[in-house]
Amino acid sequence: MTDYEEEASMAGTNPDIGELALAFEEMAQYPISGEVVIKYRDGRAVQARLSDGDGESTLREIAYNFSSGVIRFESVRGGRFEVDPEVVVARSEFRPIVYLDQCHWSTLSNSIFEPARIRNERDRDAAAELLDLAERGKVIIPVSSAHTLETSALFDVRRQNLASTILRLSRGWQMRSPIVVRMHEMASVLGRKLAVSSFVPETDVFSLAAGAMDTNRRVSDASGLPPGLAALFDRMTSFSAIYDVLMNPARIPSPKPGWHEHYQKIARDPEFQARTPKQKIIDGRALAIADVAPEALAVAQSLGIDSLEQVSIVLYEEFSSMPFMRLYGDAIGHRLAIRANWEPNDLVDMLYLGCAAAYADVVVAERTATNYLQRAWGNRDSECPVVAKLPDAVDRLSQLLT
């Protein structure tokens, strides 16, 4: 069947993405002008203007390739980024997950845009090696909502350089919201121990799914579209929003949560400090469960569990079987025990670095977080994946990829 025959056969129907791929090679949207261009496989192109456009968009082009399944973005300043297709395939090659704290993303950004800012030769070499591994698809370096929050606090060229680096290397890979991850851990434990019939699906902590890093999933309105096209519309809308916001040079001040103040008071409390180290570990876990009480209630209700006392007992008894919750609670206990100073940003670090440490292969954090996460790791069967320096991360990766 020729392209013209395929086009005619689709007329008057509502074709899904597989049928469109028979005739179309690529479709591209130009946010600033509001134009859309569809390229046929025979070389023809159709152009239309669907809106007045958005003159403030930082994206010049958003395109989808029907052959590769890749979504491509081009920024106004010339950066090109790709989002890998969300396909379920058996990977024959192991690809380690590397989660970077924001300070190490900055090192990678400097290695691309301002190499003179990296004075340590080992850091410079390690950044170049990690960039090479990412560009060759040997490792996965996901973005998280913590990165978007911290990047938004920057502005102008520095922010755009950092955002460009994150978007270029992550290729659409995201770490799910830690809130979602720990709710899933609780649901799995409660469902298993209390023998409720509700099905708790598996979930990938690191994912290419649209909106994976959002705590509250917002699905784009694609009513009327066939399933495949609706999914594509959702992905293109979700990723374009992330990319456009990150590349915007305007500063957005970070919120200052009061979460840390409660722990600051406990750390300075003489009665708490008089407790034994073992008791402080127990306290840390109990405080972690108290922290997630609203989430635990929501999970219990979704599973049809009425007894909140029973929920608390099960979560405490099964604490060690929840990778992220265990590390989060033990990190709280350790930091309280050593009378650490609690800062507003500690909540972001403990949530995101803790979640990454529980599930990623290598986590590169700043020195203080590395110290308390390593100590909170305890006597687990595996080695703590958290390191404080890029050269150490590259050494770990060399071992994993051998």
Side-chain angles (χ1 to χ4, degrees):
M1 182 181 290
T2 67
D3 288 340
Y4 298 100
E5 290 171 331
E6 289 163 359
E7 183 180 354
S9 70
M10 290 187 290
T13 68
N14 196 14
D16 207 344
I17 191 166
E19 298 166 283
L20 294 176
L22 296 174
F24 300 153
E25 176 63 30
E26 182 178 275
M27 62 178 179
Q29 175 190 358
Y30 299 89
I32 295 175
S33 67
E35 293 177 317
V36 172
V37 175
I38 297 177
K39 298 178 182 178
Y40 285 81
R41 292 190 178 276
D42 63 2
R44 292 178 299 145
V46 176
Q47 182 174 337
R49 186 170 183 175
L50 301 183
S51 71
D52 293 333
D54 177 8
E56 297 182 356
S57 176
T58 64
L59 298 176
R60 190 188 75 82
E61 181 185 49
I62 306 168
Y64 174 74
N65 186 284
F66 285 89
S67 297
S68 66
V70 168
I71 300 173
R72 186 183 73 251
F73 297 90
E74 182 175 337
S75 69
V76 170
R77 70 175 208 161
R80 293 172 69 88
F81 320 109
E82 293 185 345
V83 173
D84 289 334
E86 187 185 14
V87 292
V88 181
V89 294
R91 293 201 311 247
S92 58
E93 184 180 9
F94 170 62
R95 299 170 67 191
I97 305 289
V98 184
Y99 185 87
L100 301 177
D101 198 5
Q102 192 78 343
C103 61
H104 299 293
W105 271 117
S106 294
T107 301
L108 291 187
S109 178
N110 287 336
S111 73
I112 297 172
F113 296 101
E114 299 180 272
R117 291 174 64 95
I118 308 176
R119 298 182 180 181
N120 185 292
E121 185 176 356
R122 291 192 69 229
D123 287 343
R124 189 162 51 246
D125 291 344
E129 177 67 17
L130 189 54
L131 282 169
D132 178 64
L133 289 172
E135 296 284 14
R136 291 191 292 124
K138 297 296 184 181
V139 298
I140 293 170
I141 311 182
V143 63
S144 73
S145 50
H147 296 135
T148 64
L149 176 68
E150 292 173 332
T151 300
S152 297
L154 303 175
F155 64 98
D156 209 10
V157 174
R158 185 184 175 197
R159 170 172 171 174
Q160 291 190 310
N161 287 347
L162 179 58
S164 178
T165 303
I166 292 173
L167 299 176
R168 168 182 162 185
L169 298 183
S170 63
R171 296 189 62 86
W173 282 96
Q174 308 147 77
M175 183 174 79
R176 287 194 187 274
S177 162
I179 306 301
V180 172
V181 172
R182 68 187 185 191
M183 289 181 73
H184 185 270
E185 287 184 347
M186 289 188 286
S188 298
V189 164
L190 292 171
R192 183 179 72 251
K193 294 298 293 185
L194 299 181
V196 296
S197 58
S198 299
F199 173 67
V200 180
E202 292 294 324
T203 187
D204 293 327
V205 175
F206 303 98
S207 174
L208 283 163
M213 67 184 187
D214 296 336
T215 299
N216 298 310
R217 178 75 175 96
R218 291 163 292 180
V219 180
S220 304
D221 182 11
S223 55
L225 292 177
L229 273 179
L232 175 61
F233 177 78
D234 187 28
R235 283 174 62 73
M236 293 185 73
T237 301
S238 174
F239 283 110
S240 62
I242 294 170
Y243 284 38
D244 203 357
V245 168
L246 272 176
M247 289 299 296
N248 192 311
R251 170 183 282 167
I252 302 175
S254 299
K256 301 293 184 184
W259 172 89
H260 68 292
E261 297 171 355
H262 172 62
Y263 289 103
Q264 188 81 312
K265 291 178 182 178
I266 296 175
R268 300 295 183 264
D269 182 64
E271 185 176 340
F272 174 82
Q273 288 301 331
R275 294 171 70 79
T276 67
K278 184 176 181 180
Q279 288 173 325
K280 290 174 181 176
I281 292 175
I282 294 173
D283 290 341
R285 295 187 172 191
L287 287 166
I289 293 175
D291 254 1
V292 303
E295 299 157 30
L297 175 61
V299 169
Q301 290 176 338
S302 71
L303 296 175
I305 301 171
D306 298 324
S307 174
L308 296 183
E309 181 179 358
Q310 195 176 22
V311 167
S312 298
I313 292 172
V314 169
L315 291 180
Y316 186 80
E317 289 177 344
E318 294 295 315
F319 204 82
S320 294
S321 69
M322 296 182 286
F324 171 38
M325 278 290 291
R326 174 184 174 184
L327 189 57
Y328 178 73
D330 289 348
I332 288 175
H334 167 71
R335 296 199 66 203
L336 287 173
I338 64 171
R339 301 186 68 181
N341 189 47
W342 294 77
E343 303 289 348
N345 196 55
D346 286 339
L347 175 60
V348 173
D349 284 346
M350 293 190 69
L351 282 176
Y352 289 87
L353 293 173
C355 183
Y359 289 99
D361 298 293
V362 179
V363 176
V364 200
E366 48 83 28
R367 182 177 55 81
T368 299
T370 298
N371 180 273
Y372 69 69
L373 287 171
Q374 287 179 343
R375 291 180 177 275
W377 193 260
N379 59 350
R380 299 191 186 200
D381 295 334
S382 58
E383 182 181 13
C384 180
V386 186
V387 296
K389 299 178 180 179
L390 278 180
D392 294 334
V394 170
D395 289 343
R396 289 278 185 97
L397 287 172
S398 297
Q399 298 171 14
L400 291 170
L401 292 169
T402 300

